[in-house]
Amino acid sequence: MKRFCVECGKETIGLVDGLCVDCYTKLRHVLDLPRSIDVDFDKRSSRVRVDGKWVGQSETAFVKLVESIVAKAAKARGVTPDNLFVELFPKGEVTVAKVSFNAHLGKVDIFSEAQITIRPRYTISDASMKLASNYHEAIIQLRFIENIPREAQKPGLNEVLRLLKRGKEKNELSEAVAVKPERKGYDLYVGSKKAAKKVAASLARIHETKVIHSSKLIGVDQSGKTKYRDFFCVKI
């Protein structure tokens, strides 16, 4: 049975809150989406905070952020969006996200579009503050079995640095705050013990050798807990 739109008088079988689709999209928003959002941005590491986690700044990170905002707004409205599409347009320091989706309101399908401006809010993550102050939980001791020139040791050093960089997406402290030349190799001071252990194990597996683990007492923290520095030695 056809009914009439209370705004334009159009006769239709599909009404949403007494309005036809055209009037509804002109007068109301399908979802209550913000016009702009501020995103924490760490200039030191070029990482952004998305859903409470620091991740590398990328299109994927921003798309996930916008999708999360749409999902929350849809849940509050009791709407299930279909065919959600997010397109990003960088403009200087800001990024404009154009969003489109289909929404089911009662028996009516409505195509909706919106625009959200993503603005950086400059700050520094806890991990960046630690790394900037040379914080480190472990030391990877890279050693070479053969007595080779320092220049010939560089590929091995770069291999460790690449492994640390690979792990940084999941662990912000997977970084060497210092690299010191030592006899027959290098000492890499790593922010995270967990990252150092993982990288040392990967390096040992690649070169078919093993990791020699040791620890050194470095003091007691404010709670009275004994603190140790961990060493992971890999000879290649």
Side-chain angles (χ1 to χ4, degrees), residues 105-125:
L105 298 177
K107 296 182 179 180
V108 179
D109 289 341
I110 296 180
F111 176 74
S112 183
E113 293 180 301
Q115 184 170 295
I116 301 174
T117 300
I118 303 172
R119 301 178 305 197
R121 179 169 53 209
Y122 295 108
T123 183
I124 185 169
S125 69

Side-chain angles (χ1 to χ4, degrees), residues 43 53 56 79 119 131 156 180 187 193 222 225-226 233:
K43 291 186 72 172
K53 296 181 180 179
V79 173
R119 301 178 305 197
L131 294 172
K180 297 184 179 180
D187 280 355
K193 171 187 172 181
Q222 294 179 346
K225 186 177 179 181
T226 304
C233 180

Side-chain angles (χ1 to χ4, degrees), residues 34 44 67 83 87 107 110-111 120-121 125 156 196 206 234 236:
R44 180 188 177 279
E67 288 177 344
N83 300 320
E87 192 172 9
K107 296 182 179 180
I110 296 180
F111 176 74
R121 179 169 53 209
S125 69
I206 292 170
V234 182
I236 65 174

